[in-house]
Structure formats: structure tokens, C-alpha cells
Amino acid sequence: MAENAGTRAQIIDAANRLFYVKGFEHTSFAAIAETVGISRGNFYHHFKSKDEILGAVIESRLRSTRAMLAEWDQEEPGPAERVRRFVEIVITNGTDIQNFGCPVGTLTNELAKLGHPARAQAVSVFDLFRTWLRTQFEELGFAVEADVLAMHVLAFSQGVATVSNAFHDGEFVQREVDRLHAWLDERLAHGPAPRSAH
Amino acid sequence: MAENAGTRAQIIDAANRLFYVKGFEHTSFAAIAETVGISRGNFYHHFKSKDEILGAVIESRLRSTRAMLAEWDQEEPGPAERVRRFVEIVITNGTDIQNFGCPVGTLTNELAKLGHPARAQAVSVFDLFRTWLRTQFEELGFAVEADVLAMHVLAFSQGVATVSNAFHDGEFVQREVDRLHAWLDERLAHGPAPRSAH
DNA sequence: CAGGAGCTAGGACGATTGTCCTAGCGAGGG
DNA sequence: CCCTCGCTAGGACAATCGTCCTAGCTCCTG
């Protein structure tokens, strides 16, 4: 039972990476088995189907994303710094993003094209970031615009990821990060939009 | 020979659409054959391999993109209007983008994950837009920044496409388009960055 | 020590993949 | 008329896919 959880976790970790690097459909059971170092037939003792592995991978991503956001909540002094921390992901994970794009965006799109039922589950990772970003902007006083701003930051990261993946241009990423930081500065300087009169 | 070109064009058109809707790897010969209405074995009289079809599809996209940009050059009175026309693509093709994302960005990323040699060829479609946008900004007087601005507009479209595909939110797309139009207005009002002293 | 449950290895399965081969169709030129 | 050549249909092919079955191993429990 102890080894069970270990093998299961190893499968999820290997599948998580492979789904990102090679795509979900292009990742075969044989590739995951080879990575983990177990036999192909052994999978079905841990997962009933490939879709079930996908579900476990997405849940794993949800957990690690939640943990990362909670860590940022603790480490960063305020909401503005937290948003900046998010923006900097495209630099922190620069190499992976250049090679494979954004893990969330690319998986969501692949599942959309496959018509896969787990698409909605994959989008929920996006929702995690969206809600978290919205909370930061709300704490900054943007009660009405918070979600709009959150979506804008999300779109920024996806745009940078896709173009970075296409052109392999690190300077472009840095420029766009600087640009968004400047945009955020300006937004914070002008303050939130006035509430509608009661 | 007349029918040859017709069948070949039909195969390319069907593959072009299917590669976009279902992805390159998930699109089988059987699916293309069924769409066109020919037998599976007949493919190899027109194309030696699936990769050759992919090459023909990308070349077809290059041609149609070039034609579209040339049309915009004629129809729009000035470079500013042309950039706006590009920005509006995410609305014009809104439905397809919500369902399948951007054809260029998603194919490029898929080929990157597959390690496919045609990746560079797919990126050249991006290059077409990049160069064209750069030309527009140069005509607007942004000699130094032209390419930076072009890349920013490119990243905008990719970000909007990916987030639109994830959340199926048409209002978000419209808001971001308005935002970029406002950004462009401001850029044009302030004028280009001063040249360095000779 | 005996027994059972958890876990693993290895292979069989039907389906589907991209690729290739061959026989036959139909029109155009000698 | 006949023969050639572009084009097509249909199936064979080896490989790989996800799935499933079964026998054997290990280790904890009684």
C-alpha cells in the first residue's frame, strides 16, 4: 500500500510531464511505462483508463497550483506584488514555455480539439488563476473591474507563451513583462474606476 | 489532369480544415478520405506521406494569408486601419477561435510538441503577419519600435484566442479588442519614439 | 507457518494507424 | 481500333494504440 501510492504518484508525475511535453494524445502508455520503469499491463491496477490518468493529472495540477498560489499569498507582501509574481512566470518557466508553451493553455486547447469530456476540468486550472487574480485586484480596490483585469493578465500570459513558443525569443518575453508591469503601475497610480453613484 | 488538380485541392482543403478542428495528429487519412469522398489508398497518388499533406496545407495557408494581407493593403486606406483590421480577426473569426483557438498558434504548438520538422514552416505563417504588421508600424513612423509593436499585437491576438477558447467568452474578446484599439490610439497620438541623435 | 490481499510482469485482443501494392477504369493520341 | 497513362478503388502490411486477462511475486495478518 505504501509502494502503491508511490507507483501511482510516479505514474501521475510522469504522465503530467509527458502530457505537457508531447501532448496528451501523443503520449502513449508505453512511453509512461518506460519513464516510470514498470510494465504496460500494470497500469490498469492503478487506473482504469487513460482518461482516468488524465483526470488524476489535472487534479494533481489543481493541487500544485493551489499550493503555489497559497505560497505566493504568504511570501508576497501585497496583492500588487502577487500579480507581478504571476506575470513573471513566463520568465521563471521561460525555457519550458519556449519549448512547449503554457501547460494549461495547450492542454485545454488540445482537449477542445479532441472533443474530450475532461476539457472543462482542464479549464478549471485557468479558473484557479482567474479567481486568484481577481481577488488580488479586488484587494487593490478594483471592485468592479477586478475580473476584467484578471482576464487581461491571463490573456497576456497566454499570448506571451504562444508567441515565445513560436519564435523562441527571450527578449520579447522580457519586453512584454516590462510592458505589463508598466501597465500595472499606471493602473495602480490612477486608482480604481469610480463606483457608480448609489 | 484537370480532375487531378481538383482532387488534390479538395484533399488540401479538407486536411486544412481538419488539422485546425481536430489537430494534425488526431486527423487520420480515413477522416480526410471520408470528407473528400475518395478511397484511402488513393492518397498516395497525390501525396507520398502525411507529412507531405501537412506541407501542402501550410503552403496553402501561406498563399491565402498573403492574399488576405494584400487585400487588406488595397481595401484599407492607411496602415492604422490595417492594424485594426488585423486586431478585429479575433471577432471576425470569433466562433472558430472559441471552438478551436488560433489556427496558426495551435498548429505551431502541436508541431513543437511532436518535434515535427515542419514546425519551422508553420512558424513562417506567423512571420508573414509579423512582417506585415511591422511594415504598417514603419509606415506610421515607428522605425525603431516597429517590430516590437508588431510582436505585441501578435501576442495580443494569441492571448485573446487562447483565453477565448478556454472560457468561450465573447464579451471578453470585445473588451480586449477595444483595449488594444485604445492602446493603438494612444500610441499614434504620442507619435513614434524620438530617433537617436545622429 | 499458512493464507490472502496487494501489486507486478508479460502477453493477447481487436481496432486503428500510416504506408504500400495491384488490378481496373476511362479518356486521348498513335 | 488499340494502347498508353493519369487516376481511382480496395485491400494487405506491419506497427502501434488502449484495453484486458492471468499467473506469479511479495508482504502483512492471523
Side-chain angles (χ1 to χ4, degrees):
Chain A
M1 182 175 175
E3 202 62 33
N4 174 13
T7 303
R8 188 187 156 90
Q10 277 186 324
I11 292 176
I12 294 176
D13 283 351
N16 185 25
R17 182 68 186 170
L18 286 170
F19 287 173
Y20 176 37
V21 172
K22 305 174 65 175
F24 167 67
E25 200 184 22
H26 189 58
T27 298
S28 65
F29 272 49
I32 304 177
E34 194 182 10
T35 303
V36 179
I38 62 174
S39 81
R40 252 168 39 256
N42 190 13
F43 272 99
Y44 287 77
H45 193 266
H46 301 279
F47 301 96
K48 274 183 290 185
S49 69
K50 193 182 181 184
D51 290 351
E52 203 167 279
I53 298 185
L54 176 61
V57 164
I58 297 179
E59 279 185 24
S60 166
R61 290 188 184 184
L62 282 169
R63 272 195 304 275
S64 63
T65 301
R66 264 190 278 262
M68 183 183 70
L69 295 179
E71 203 177 292
W72 290 357
D73 282 342
Q74 284 196 336
E75 288 182 8
E76 302 296 335
E81 288 79 7
R82 294 191 194 115
V83 175
R84 291 188 204 284
R85 181 82 173 252
F86 173 83
V87 168
E88 299 262 348
I89 293 188
V90 292
I91 295 177
T92 310
N93 300 343
T95 305
D96 273 352
I97 289 176
Q98 273 193 22
N99 290 330
F100 318 114
C102 168
V104 190
T106 56
L107 179 64
T108 297
N109 179 258
E110 183 182 359
L111 297 182
K113 295 201 179 199
L114 297 181
H116 198 287
R119 194 197 77 92
Q121 204 184 349
V123 174
S124 68
V125 185
F126 264 136
D127 269 315
L128 231 52
F129 285 109
R130 178 183 184 173
T131 304
W132 182 83
L133 283 167
R134 189 201 310 146
T135 303
Q136 309 313 315
F137 282 114
E138 282 170 352
E139 288 187 19
L140 287 168
F142 297 92
V144 197
E145 303 174 80
D147 190 62
V148 170
L149 296 172
M151 288 287 271
H152 178 68
V153 174
L154 224 51
F156 153 83
S157 72
Q158 291 304 306
V160 169
T162 305
V163 174
S164 160
N165 174 246
F167 290 108
H168 291 86
D169 187 343
E171 293 183 16
F172 155 78
V173 176
Q174 186 62 57
R175 276 199 315 266
E176 288 297 316
V177 166
D178 292 343
R179 187 196 298 273
L180 203 86
H181 280 158
W183 168 83
L184 191 60
D185 286 339
E186 196 186 9
R187 273 312 194 126
L188 296 178
H190 284 78
R195 313 284 186 101
S196 60
H198 73 283
Chain B
M1 183 177 175
E3 202 61 34
N4 175 13
T7 303
R8 188 187 155 91
Q10 277 185 325
I11 292 176
I12 294 177
D13 283 352
N16 184 25
R17 181 67 185 172
L18 286 170
F19 288 173
Y20 176 37
V21 171
K22 306 174 64 176
F24 167 67
E25 200 183 23
H26 189 58
T27 297
S28 65
F29 272 48
I32 304 176
E34 193 181 11
T35 303
V36 180
I38 61 174
S39 81
R40 251 170 37 258
N42 190 14
F43 272 100
Y44 287 77
H45 192 265
H46 301 279
F47 301 95
K48 275 184 290 186
S49 69
K50 193 181 180 184
D51 290 352
E52 203 167 278
I53 298 185
L54 175 62
V57 164
I58 297 178
E59 279 184 24
S60 166
R61 290 189 183 183
L62 282 169
R63 272 195 305 275
S64 63
T65 301
R66 263 190 279 262
M68 183 182 70
L69 295 179
E71 201 177 293
W72 290 357
D73 282 342
Q74 286 196 334
E75 288 182 9
E76 301 297 335
E81 288 79 6
R82 295 193 193 113
V83 175
R84 291 188 204 285
R85 181 80 174 254
F86 173 83
V87 169
E88 299 262 348
I89 291 188
V90 292
I91 295 177
T92 310
N93 301 341
T95 305
D96 273 350
I97 290 176
Q98 274 193 21
N99 290 330
F100 317 113
C102 167
V104 189
T106 55
L107 179 64
T108 297
N109 180 259
E110 183 183 359
L111 297 182
K113 297 201 177 197
L114 297 181
H116 198 287
R119 193 197 77 93
Q121 204 184 350
V123 174
S124 67
V125 185
F126 263 136
D127 268 315
L128 231 52
F129 284 109
R130 178 183 184 174
T131 304
W132 182 83
L133 283 167
R134 189 201 309 147
T135 303
Q136 309 311 315
F137 282 114
E138 283 169 353
E139 287 187 19
L140 288 167
F142 297 93
V144 197
E145 304 174 80
D147 190 61
V148 171
L149 296 173
M151 288 287 272
H152 178 68
V153 174
L154 224 50
F156 153 83
S157 72
Q158 290 304 306
V160 169
T162 305
V163 174
S164 160
N165 174 246
F167 291 108
H168 291 87
D169 187 341
E171 293 183 16
F172 154 79
V173 175
Q174 185 62 57
R175 276 199 315 266
E176 289 296 316
V177 166
D178 292 343
R179 187 195 298 272
L180 203 86
H181 280 159
W183 167 84
L184 191 60
D185 285 340
E186 196 185 9
R187 272 315 193 122
L188 296 178
H190 284 77
R195 312 285 185 100
S196 59
H198 75 281

